Amino acid sequence: DKKSFLLMTSQIVTINNKKYRSDCFSKRDLNNIKIHEWCIGDHLKQLQELGFDYTKYWQIGVKSRYKDENVEFEISHANSFFEIPGKNTYMLHLSGSDGAVLILDKNLENIIWSKKFNQFTFDEKNYKTQVHDAQLTPQGTLLIYFSRIEDREGKLHSRLVELDANTGQIIWQYQRQPLESFYAPITSSLNLLTNGHILFNDNGWAYEIDRNGKTIWKFKNPSQNNGWPLNIMVLRPFYNLDFLKSRNLID
């Protein structure tokens, strides 16, 4: 509506007398005034009732120099948040022990759909998985960036997958051979372009591919990773190009 925007933020919450970083998702007007907001720390009980385990905490990988903002662990790690076109609902994705993908109602109050992606079956084999981005397509399917897929031998790789949101059946997937040649555990986002192609990131590279996996366009991020954990105050220019969402120059 060009009168509001969506924002992912963080807050520090206290659980069992310990402080943790927690994600918040808000819709705001152009003066940065909150219209609606949903914070994970306020909904832990509801998430646990849905089967998500947020008693397991992640060690924070991004450190801040801002006063009183550094804590050792986080209860989630948000990577994507967007309004579902024509539905007046919102999808968000949380990395964590369960890899939650959630759909919230129009007021960012209630969870109306949820699914966990901490494990998945590929080629009749069960893998431990982590998801780094998830989006709903206009056709109602789910686009998932499985950034970390681990087999029983501990081998790791990544895949892009389109799923039937109701059945979980794989409709389309992109992988490389050998599987381990495609592995992007942290710089992993994807987007469905209007031409039907997929734009995604792979360790500092951006790729546009067609549905046959052919590379149409690619771009090398000129920045270099500063190592892990990252310090948000000293990132070099262009680092956030790892989260490109569109290469269209004109909307």
Side-chain angles (χ1 to χ4, degrees):
D1 58 8
K2 298 184 180 180
K3 297 179 181 178
S4 59
F5 63 95
L6 301 180
L7 188 67
M8 293 190 296
T9 57
S10 298
Q11 64 177 190
I12 305 300
V13 297
T14 301
I15 303 174
N16 297 328
N17 297 319
K18 292 185 178 181
K19 290 185 177 182
Y20 301 91
R21 194 189 69 82
S22 174
D23 295 309
C24 290
F25 307 84
S26 60
K27 181 177 182 179
R28 305 182 180 219
D29 66 21
L30 299 184
N31 293 315
N32 199 26
I33 303 300
K34 295 177 187 176
I35 301 172
H36 303 298
E37 184 175 57
W38 189 87
C39 294
I40 294 172
D42 299 328
H43 295 272
L44 290 179
K45 183 178 180 181
Q46 183 183 15
L47 288 166
Q48 289 169 346
E49 289 173 351
L50 289 171
F52 296 100
D53 184 3
Y54 281 90
T55 61
K56 300 175 182 178
Y57 305 115
W58 279 35
Q59 187 168 14
I60 286 183
V62 178
K63 296 186 180 297
S64 171
R65 289 183 179 176
Y66 293 109
K67 184 179 180 181
D68 299 327
E69 286 192 0
N70 277 324
V71 291
E72 187 177 0
F73 294 97
E74 57 188 350
I75 59 176
S76 65
H77 189 91
N79 291 319
S80 58
F81 173 43
F82 62 94
E83 183 174 6
I84 300 174
K87 301 294 185 181
N88 201 22
T89 53
Y90 301 87
M91 173 170 278
L92 58 92
H93 161 255
L94 309 172
S95 292
S97 59
D98 289 324
V101 176
L102 309 175
I103 296 179
L104 305 182
D105 64 11
K106 64 180 182 179
N107 296 321
L108 294 178
E109 291 180 351
N110 301 305
I111 301 171
I112 58 178
W113 183 89
S114 64
K115 191 172 182 64
K116 62 172 64 177
F117 286 98
N118 59 338
Q119 58 182 347
F120 200 80
T121 300
F122 295 102
D123 309 319
E124 299 183 349
K125 296 180 181 179
N126 191 47
Y127 293 85
K128 293 181 181 179
T129 58
Q130 291 178 10
V131 171
H132 210 270
D133 198 1
Q135 298 180 21
L136 194 67
T137 71
Q139 292 73 36
T141 60
L142 275 175
L143 271 178
I144 304 288
Y145 200 134
F146 283 95
S147 57
R148 179 185 173 96
I149 303 173
E150 180 179 357
D151 64 17
R152 293 182 178 179
E153 288 74 37
K155 295 181 180 179
L156 302 171
H157 72 279
S158 302
R159 297 192 196 193
L160 312 180
V161 180
E162 184 177 6
L163 303 173
D164 183 302
N166 295 313
T167 66
Q169 180 180 0
I170 295 177
I171 299 170
W172 170 87
Q173 62 178 316
Y174 170 80
Q175 55 186 316
R176 295 177 187 154
Q177 295 297 335
L179 293 177
E180 295 80 10
S181 64
F182 177 28
Y183 180 49
I186 57 173
T187 52
S188 325
S189 64
L190 81 169
N191 192 38
L192 177 64
L193 300 178
T194 55
N195 60 7
H197 295 170
I198 305 295
L199 180 70
F200 72 98
N201 305 118
D202 174 14
N203 290 318
W205 283 87
Y207 290 90
E208 178 186 349
I209 60 170
D210 64 18
R211 290 310 183 103
N212 295 317
K214 179 182 178 181
T215 299
I216 307 301
W217 173 86
K218 62 183 179 180
F219 174 77
K220 176 69 168 68
N221 187 336
S223 179
Q224 298 292 322
N225 195 328
N226 290 339
W228 189 259
L230 303 174
N231 188 322
I232 63 174
M233 300 300 292
V234 297
L235 290 180
R236 298 180 185 178
F238 301 111
Y239 182 85
N240 283 333
L241 288 179
D242 283 326
F243 292 88
L244 283 169
K245 284 298 178 184
S246 174
R247 76 179 190 90
N248 297 326
L249 298 180
I250 300 176
D251 187 3

